[in-house]
Every structure is written in C-alpha cells, then in structure tokens.
Amino acid sequence: MQVSVIIVNYNVRYFLEQCLFSVLRAMNGIEGEIIVVDNASNDNSMAYLQPLFPSVRFLGNDRNLGFAKANNQALASCKGEYVLFLNPDTLVPENFLYQILTHIKQQPHAGALGVRMLDGKGRFLPESKRAFPSPWVSFAKLSGLAALFPRSSFFNRYALGHLDKHANHEVPVLAGACMLVRRELIQQLQGFDENYFLYGEDIDLSYRIQKAGYTNHYFAETAIIHFKGESSANAKLNRVKFFYTAMLVFVQKHYHTGYSKIIALFLKIAIAARGLLSAARQLQQPVVDALLVFVSLKAVSFFWIAFVRKGKEFGVPEMFWLLPVFSVFFILSAAIAGLYDRPYKSAKTITATVFALLSVLALYSLFTESIRFSRGVVLLGGITGSLLIFFFRQVVHRWMTDHIVLSENNTEQTWIVASAEEYTAISQQFTSLVMDGVIPARIATRKAEPQTLCSFQDLPVAVKNNAPNRIVFCVGELSLQEIMLQLPAYNKPSPLFLFHIAGSGSMVGSYTLAPGPAVITSFVDYPIAQPYQKRMKRLVDIVLGIFVWVVFPIHFLLHRKPAALLRNALQVLMGSKTWVGYTSIREDLPSVKEAVIASVDVQSITDPTAQKKIDTAYAWKYDWWNDIRIVLRSYHRLG
C-alpha cells in the first residue's frame, strides 16, 4: 500500500465531508487508505459521515485526546509506505497524492514533505515553511517585526520569508496540517510527542526527523486549500494559549543552552500579554456602551438638577458610584438579552436595551430610601443611553455594510460556478434554505452558454464589474486544481468563496475571509439551537415562573388546577422543565427540556407524523417571543 491518509476531526463534519471527497478524488489510481479519528465531536460527525464514506476507517474517542495522541492512535494500525497527516479543514486537488508521492520518492534523504498551503481566498499561508524558534526568531514574530518585513531573512526568519514560496526548498519545519512522512521513519520516532495538545507537535517532529539524519522538504509544485483553524474557530484565546505553550514545551525539551531560560520567560510573558490583548478586544464594545450609558445618566442628572429641581442637589453622596454601577448592570443585562450576539439585528438591539432598562429600574427599586436619588433620572438616562447605543450600532453597521457588501444595488448576489446538471442539483439542494429565495446566477464551467452570466475563464473580470457577495465553486466538471489556479486573480475586496464537491451535502468556506456564513449546509440549523435563543428561552422561563408564583392567589380563583400550575412553575425555575416545547422527547431535533405544554394543543392529535411536523415547525420558526404568546393564550393548559 502506497499511502495512509490520517485525519483528526473535532466538530467540523462539513469541512471533513468536503475534505474526504477531495482525498478520494486524489486517490484515484493510487493504492491507499483513509483513517479518520474523531476526538469526541458533539456535532454528530460520526453518524453523519460514516454512511457517506464506507471505504473510510473511522475511529471514535470518548474524549478529546488532542492532535498528537489521536494521530498516533491511527498511526499504530496504518499500512501505507507513507503516511499523510492532513487537517480536516483542507481540500486537496485531484493530482495531489500522485505529485507528492512521486517527489518524495525522488529524494532519498527526505524524511517528510510539506506543500504550499493557501487560505480560502488563494492567499499563501506563511506557516507552510518555517524555522525553529530561537530568541531572535521568537522576538521578531511576537513583536510584529516579522509582519513588517515579511521577506526579510533577518526579521522574518520564522516564516522563512526570504525563500521563494513557488520554489522547492529544504526547510527546518513543516506544517502538521499537511505532512507526508515515511511510515518506517515516524514509527521509529514513535510518532508525535503527546505532550503537545494542539500546536507545536509538527515543530517537534520536524526537529526529530532532522536529528535522525533526514531532511524536510517544502514542495511548491502543488498546493492545498487550508481554511485554517476551523476546529478551534470559537476559542481564539485558547488557541493563543495552546500555541505559545507549545513553543514553551519545545524550547524546554530541545534547548539546553543558557538562553533557553530567556526564551521560556519571553514566551510566558507573550502568553499573558496576548491573553490580555484578546480579552481587551472582546471587552472593547461593552466598555464603549457602558460609557454611553454613564454619560447619558450623568447628563440627565445634570439637567434634572438644573431645570426640574431648580439647582437643588439630590443630597445623595453615593451617586458617584451608583451611576457607574447602573451603567455596568445595564450592559450586563443587555448582554444576557443578546446585545452582543451575531448577526446584528436592529430588533435584537431594541429588545436587549429595553430589557436592560427594566432590569436597572428593578435594581433601583431594591435600594433603600437613603440612596434613591431619582427614578426619573434612571429612566430618562437609561432611555437616552439605549438610543445612543442603538444609533451607534446603526452607524457602525451601515459603515460595515458600505465597506463589505459589494453589490452596487446593495442586494444579495450569489453566483454558482457549475455545469448545467450540477447547477440544477445544487440549486435544489441549497437555494430554498440558504439563498433566501434569491435565484443564484450560473457561471459556465467552460464556454459561456445561454442563460449563464459568463464563463469560468471570464469570471475575474465579471467579479470586478459586478461585485457579487459570494461565489460557490462546484468541484466536479471543473477540477479543484483549475479553481485554485484562478483564485489569486480576484482583486480586493473579493467575495466570499464557498466550495462544494459534486455529490456532497454541504458547502464550506472560511468566515474569516468575508461576510457571510462559515458553513452552508443542506441540513437545517434550527433557530432554537442558537445560543441567543437558548439563553432567552431560559430567561423567559425564569421570568414567567417568578410571575406565576408572585401572583399565586389569583390562580386559585382562575385556574382549574392551581396546585399543578405552581408545581410546574417550580420545576421550570429549577431547570428540569421548560414552559413550551415539543409534543414529546425528540432525538431528531435540537434538545429541549421536557415541556409543560406543546406549542399547540395536541390532545386531539395522535398521529406521530402530524406531531413531528408540529415540533419541526416549532424548532424551525422558533423565537422566544412566541413562547410568551403561547403561555399567555394557553394559561388554562399550564397546570
């Protein structure tokens, strides 16, 4: 067997789906095997992918073992002469395996081989070739000097910026995202060092390969697309910590000279500094909003004293700390209500600020008379702060729209590069759920055809003239290799690129490249599973549960089963139930706690198919406001 391809997956099933399709296309005519190790993904990766790829061997773990351990797990049973370690958020062209296997066989001293990696826009990823960390290399990278002088052999030694990225080279370090290694050699080296969890294991392996007397080769004659970081896209702060901690482990393991302690100290400082910087960036918007609220409260209190109280002070010395407390409490309440959830929506901002205003008024009412200064100041100051936040959001959102949404008429434009048959299939599969009813234009794969916008060859010019929002490349009649060759031809700013291999059930792209979703699939992402809606659903449960108990005497007059109603309210408050949910426990929909009542009165509906449609509609059209409406009109069913 020529090659074993090992892929470690963690919560990126759609990226992995496209990756596996591309690897299978590249394995045509090559004797090989594919092994996927799933690190306890919670996105149903195994159940989704195994039926689609019967020829792929899947290994499932009950916890996240990390990159190194998972790769070693597959390495122990692989049979190929060579082992290709590949990230799941990659796409490989059709001739990829043939080219890299041919090249490494021509290099008798080569222990490992890496390739030119491109991001989802076709831009070169500097980590395709790297140097080992040293005091100066680490300082230049962490201080930003490497970014200022990207082609300097002195300042950008880490990314070997002085070496031509389009030429083959022997290099110190290869990227673990795509590394071809002789199986006999890596088994001799006992695989990856399992002290590394997510980063650094490739640097360590590259170092040990060279110590064993072999060379590492950067092969520029082929390339892959690496969307980069999708397995940990939602944990940026953790990625920073993992990266610099890995550098620290490497230095302490392999450097025994005097300056190793200096590097170690510098890396520890870098971990702390980058963590603080990341936290500061995340808090930037809430801090600005809190200042807007504080300024509003301060201004209203000034005018209230001047015009309402005719210059008479409130006589409450605690105001110097009460106003900041109100401002912070306002922002915390608004955050709970979804003010900082993506994507931006005007209605969401209004709802969040109204909730925050009511919360601040409730907090004010709990204060003792000695420190109450004016409910009017709190109310008007909160309203003014809410308006400032809203208008600030509108201005920022409009500015971003003007700079990011590229269409001249400000409407969504989606183009699909596909053959007529592929276009029909992909339109039926995705348009109804993804394109909001907008019919995407087709780009012909070869020559322009009737009812097509242009041909693939003319696409860069068409993009420049029309500025679409997104382009979907269908890999089928058009090869991935052809698509990758054209990617650098698009001028900045360029649309969001998505990739779909014919026959698959998803499209993938990187949301770091342009506005739009990171992953578009033919499988519904139910609103009820969104963090904002889940948080608001729980908040509604709590508020309604408290209200039911506060007015409990009324239930003995109006409700048929007041004791059952109060018992249900207590269970909702404790979190074991929710007010509104499915007709029964469902495993085919996002999980929801046992419901007091279903979204409709289903006592007379016994058909399981009808009940499933009711539950699906509830999950698909979910909005927390609907829960309130359902509870209010179904009071008699709550007990």
Side-chain angles (χ1 to χ4, degrees), residues 14-231:
Y14 298 121
F15 283 95
L16 178 55
E17 178 189 18
Q18 299 298 318
C19 176
L20 289 174
F21 269 108
S22 71
V23 172
L24 286 171
R25 288 165 63 93
M27 202 169 275
N28 185 30
I30 293 175
E31 184 186 6
E33 63 178 349
I34 305 173
I35 305 172
V36 170
V37 184
D38 186 77
N39 259 340
S41 296
N42 55 26
D43 66 346
N44 219 22
S45 290
M46 295 280 278
Y48 173 68
L49 293 168
Q50 280 183 294
L52 293 177
F53 301 99
S55 64
V56 175
R57 180 147 55 100
F58 288 86
L59 306 176
N61 294 321
D62 57 5
R63 60 189 178 91
N64 188 353
L65 299 178
F67 183 82
K69 285 186 178 181
N71 273 308
N72 289 347
Q73 183 181 349
L75 182 62
S77 61
C78 69
K79 302 173 183 177
E81 180 184 355
Y82 295 90
V83 180
L84 175 64
F85 297 103
L86 191 65
N87 270 25
D89 53 352
T90 58
L91 298 176
V92 303
E94 290 76 7
N95 61 350
F96 175 73
L97 289 175
Y98 173 79
Q99 285 187 287
I100 62 173
L101 289 170
T102 300
H103 186 77
I104 198 170
K105 290 175 183 178
Q106 295 171 352
Q107 311 296 326
H109 299 292
L113 179 145
V115 300
R116 188 163 42 93
M117 297 191 297
L118 311 175
D119 68 12
K121 264 188 174 175
R123 296 176 299 196
F124 176 71
L125 291 173
E127 58 267 33
S128 302
K129 49 180 175 62
R130 289 172 290 170
F132 295 115
S134 68
W136 173 248
V137 167
S138 301
F139 174 79
K141 176 175 171 55
L142 298 174
S143 65
L145 287 171
L148 288 174
F149 305 98
R151 297 185 180 181
S152 169
S153 61
F154 182 69
F155 291 109
N156 193 21
R157 180 69 185 173
Y158 180 76
L160 304 175
H162 61 291
L163 296 182
D164 183 0
K165 61 188 176 184
H166 293 291
N168 300 336
H169 303 282
E170 287 186 19
V171 296
V173 178
L174 300 172
C178 179
M179 182 186 287
L180 182 71
V181 188
R182 298 181 188 273
R183 180 169 65 92
E184 182 180 327
L185 171 61
I186 195 168
Q187 288 182 337
Q188 173 190 328
L189 297 173
Q190 299 182 337
F192 288 105
D193 185 338
E194 296 182 1
N195 289 314
Y196 300 91
F197 183 80
L198 184 60
Y199 295 111
E201 64 288 312
D202 48 2
I203 300 177
D204 181 90
L205 181 60
S206 297
Y207 185 87
R208 289 187 288 128
I209 287 173
Q210 288 191 339
K211 284 192 69 176
Y214 292 85
T215 52
N216 297 315
H217 287 249
Y218 167 73
F219 182 54
E221 294 171 32
T222 188
I224 67 167
I225 293 177
H226 181 204
F227 294 104
K228 192 180 177 184
E230 299 304 333
S231 296

Side-chain angles (χ1 to χ4, degrees), residues 199-459:
Y199 295 111
E201 64 288 312
D202 48 2
I203 300 177
D204 181 90
L205 181 60
S206 297
Y207 185 87
R208 289 187 288 128
I209 287 173
Q210 288 191 339
K211 284 192 69 176
Y214 292 85
T215 52
N216 297 315
H217 287 249
Y218 167 73
F219 182 54
E221 294 171 32
T222 188
I224 67 167
I225 293 177
H226 181 204
F227 294 104
K228 192 180 177 184
E230 299 304 333
S231 296
S232 52
N234 295 322
K236 293 181 179 179
L237 189 56
N238 280 338
R239 292 204 336 254
V240 170
K241 181 180 178 182
F242 282 136
F243 177 79
Y244 290 115
T245 301
M247 296 300 100
L248 187 60
V249 171
F250 177 83
V251 167
Q252 291 174 337
K253 176 182 176 181
H254 293 293
Y255 291 175
H256 303 291
T257 58
Y259 62 67
S260 63
K261 293 183 178 180
I262 299 175
I263 304 177
L265 177 62
F266 188 75
L267 289 171
K268 288 177 181 178
I269 295 172
I271 292 171
R274 289 296 296 269
L276 290 173
L277 180 61
S278 180
R281 286 175 177 171
Q282 293 180 20
L283 292 173
Q284 183 177 0
Q285 191 168 347
V287 168
V288 170
D289 291 342
L291 287 173
L292 291 175
V293 175
F294 175 75
V295 169
S296 300
L297 288 169
K298 196 73 175 174
V300 169
S301 66
F302 174 81
F303 284 103
W304 195 272
I305 292 171
F307 297 102
V308 177
R309 295 177 61 87
K310 307 300 182 183
K312 184 180 178 181
E313 296 286 341
F314 289 112
V316 179
E318 291 85 358
M319 281 188 67
F320 82 94
W321 61 263
L322 283 174
L323 294 185
V325 166
F326 282 136
S327 303
V328 172
F329 187 75
F330 185 100
I331 297 305
L332 290 175
S333 302
I336 292 172
L339 181 62
Y340 302 106
D341 288 339
R342 304 294 186 202
Y344 169 80
K345 290 184 179 179
S346 299
K348 191 185 295 182
T349 300
I350 294 171
T351 301
T353 51
V354 169
F355 174 79
L357 179 59
L358 294 175
S359 300
V360 169
L361 289 171
L363 177 66
Y364 179 85
S365 67
L366 298 175
F367 286 3
T368 62
E369 289 292 339
S370 62
I371 59 174
R372 290 186 187 178
F373 48 93
S374 172
R375 195 184 307 272
V377 169
V378 175
L379 177 61
L380 291 178
I383 292 174
T384 304
S386 300
L387 291 173
L388 286 175
I389 289 173
F390 176 78
F391 286 118
F392 182 75
R393 289 282 193 291
Q394 291 292 98
V395 169
V396 170
H397 181 64
R398 185 176 296 278
W399 182 87
M400 291 179 65
T401 301
D402 290 343
H403 285 76
I404 296 178
V405 177
L406 305 175
S407 304
E408 291 182 4
N409 57 6
N410 215 25
T411 60
E412 285 286 322
Q413 286 193 65
T414 298
W415 295 355
I416 297 179
V417 184
S419 67
E421 295 77 15
E422 292 166 346
Y423 177 81
T424 300
I426 200 173
S427 295
Q428 292 174 350
Q429 192 174 9
F430 298 107
T431 302
S432 60
L433 292 178
V434 176
M435 310 303 182
D436 299 323
V438 179
I439 299 176
R442 181 167 83 89
I443 308 299
T445 54
R446 302 304 174 192
K447 295 181 180 179
E449 305 169 17
Q451 299 181 337
T452 62
L453 192 63
C454 67
S455 67
F456 172 68
Q457 289 76 12
D458 297 328
L459 184 57

Side-chain angles (χ1 to χ4, degrees), residues 451-499:
Q451 299 181 337
T452 62
L453 192 63
C454 67
S455 67
F456 172 68
Q457 289 76 12
D458 297 328
L459 184 57
V461 175
V463 168
K464 182 178 180 181
N465 294 334
N466 295 276
N469 302 87
R470 66 169 72 93
I471 296 176
V472 179
F473 292 105
C474 187
V475 181
E477 184 173 301
L478 199 63
S479 72
L480 181 62
Q481 184 179 7
E482 291 175 284
I483 295 169
M484 290 173 62
L485 287 173
Q486 195 188 75
L487 288 180
Y490 298 94
N491 295 321
K492 298 179 181 179
S494 56
L496 171 65
F497 296 136
L498 294 164
F499 299 85

